[in-house]
Amino acid sequence: MRSLARPLFVEALGTFTLVFAGVAAMMANNYPLVGFNMLGIALAHGLALGLAITIAIPYSGGHVNPAVTLGFLSVGRIDLKKALWYIAAQLLGGVLGALAVKATYPGGVTSVTDLGVPTIHSAISFVDAIGIEAILTFFLMTAVYATIVSPKATKMGGFGVGLTVFVMILAGGPLTGAVMNPARAFGPSIVAMQWTGHLAYWIGPVLGAVVAAM
């Protein structure tokens, strides 16, 4: 367990960074004269994830996402015990990130957006949401393999994955929130106690990550 202390810490820290920066950007967008809207929110998530993965790569491999961890598990790149510890650390980081936003921003702002809890558009069914999240996460996991895992990958840290998240949020954000990460959904959901459609943000990303890994 002692050998896992540093990897678990950076996985929690990385997920905290993603959730705090992403959700805080959504809160800031509600202030007068801000208005960076979807473009700014997507950029905040993408840059935060790129930074988080780059920090974590030397110590944990830079998963920062339960779906990525489960994708690696499906092809034997991580054992079950270590995967479960990674997921626990990621979920903890997500919860702490959401709590930090709640402590930082006024209650009126956080309540307007349910603390950044992702939602499924009324025109999209639950099954459609799973499919959308699966497709988006397929591209995310593909970027992980192509820019981090592959021995032929160029040295760009996690920013290739961050750029993928930026593009996928622009593509799918209005439909499902383009979460692609169960911890990003779980942290705000548990703090805001809002669980509508929450399972889609587990089933879709895990399915997409596993298919991409295989």
Side-chain angles (χ1 to χ4, degrees), residues 190-204:
I190 199 169
V191 175
M193 293 307 294
Q194 172 59 261
W195 300 98
T196 303
H198 184 76
L199 277 178
Y201 301 110
W202 282 88
I203 300 171

Side-chain angles (χ1 to χ4, degrees), residues 67 129-135 137-138 199-209:
I130 290 175
I132 291 166
E133 286 291 323
I135 292 170
T137 312
F138 176 88
L199 277 178
Y201 301 110
W202 282 88
I203 300 171
V206 172
L207 179 62

Side-chain angles (χ1 to χ4, degrees), residues 2 4 7 10 22 50 57 61 102 104 137 145 152 154 177 198 205 209 211:
R2 186 175 180 180
L4 278 176
V10 296
I57 284 173
K102 186 176 181 179
T104 305
T137 312
Y145 265 89
K152 298 180 180 180
T154 55
H198 184 76
V211 170

Side-chain angles (χ1 to χ4, degrees), residues 19-200:
V19 173
F20 178 79
V23 174
M26 295 178 70
M27 301 302 106
N29 189 54
N30 282 276
Y31 279 84
L33 304 179
V34 177
F36 43 69
N37 298 320
M38 185 64 68
L39 184 65
I41 292 169
L43 187 61
H45 280 85
L47 289 177
L49 181 62
L51 175 63
I53 292 176
T54 301
I55 291 170
I57 284 173
Y59 307 103
S60 68
H63 297 197
V64 197
N65 185 335
V68 171
T69 299
L70 291 171
F72 283 146
L73 176 65
S74 71
V75 293
R77 291 192 64 90
I78 188 173
D79 62 69
L80 178 60
K81 181 180 178 181
K82 189 175 182 180
L84 293 175
W85 277 113
Y86 268 42
I87 292 169
Q90 293 154 1
L91 295 178
L92 176 62
V95 172
L96 292 176
L99 285 171
V101 174
K102 186 176 181 179
T104 305
Y105 281 84
V109 177
T110 58
S111 62
V112 167
T113 57
D114 284 329
L115 202 63
V117 175
T119 56
I120 300 170
H121 192 278
S122 58
I124 302 297
S125 72
F126 181 77
V127 174
D128 289 339
I130 290 175
I132 291 166
E133 286 291 323
I135 292 170
L136 300 179
T137 312
F138 176 88
F139 286 109
L140 184 153
M141 191 68 178
T142 300
V144 169
Y145 265 89
T147 66
I148 297 175
V149 176
S150 172
K152 298 180 180 180
T154 55
K155 300 297 183 182
M156 54 192 307
F159 288 99
V161 182
L163 179 61
T164 303
V165 166
F166 169 70
V167 173
M168 292 300 109
I169 291 177
L170 292 181
L175 304 177
T176 64
V179 173
M180 299 169 278
N181 186 333
R184 167 61 183 84
F186 180 81
S189 290
I190 199 169
V191 175
M193 293 307 294
Q194 172 59 261
W195 300 98
T196 303
H198 184 76
L199 277 178

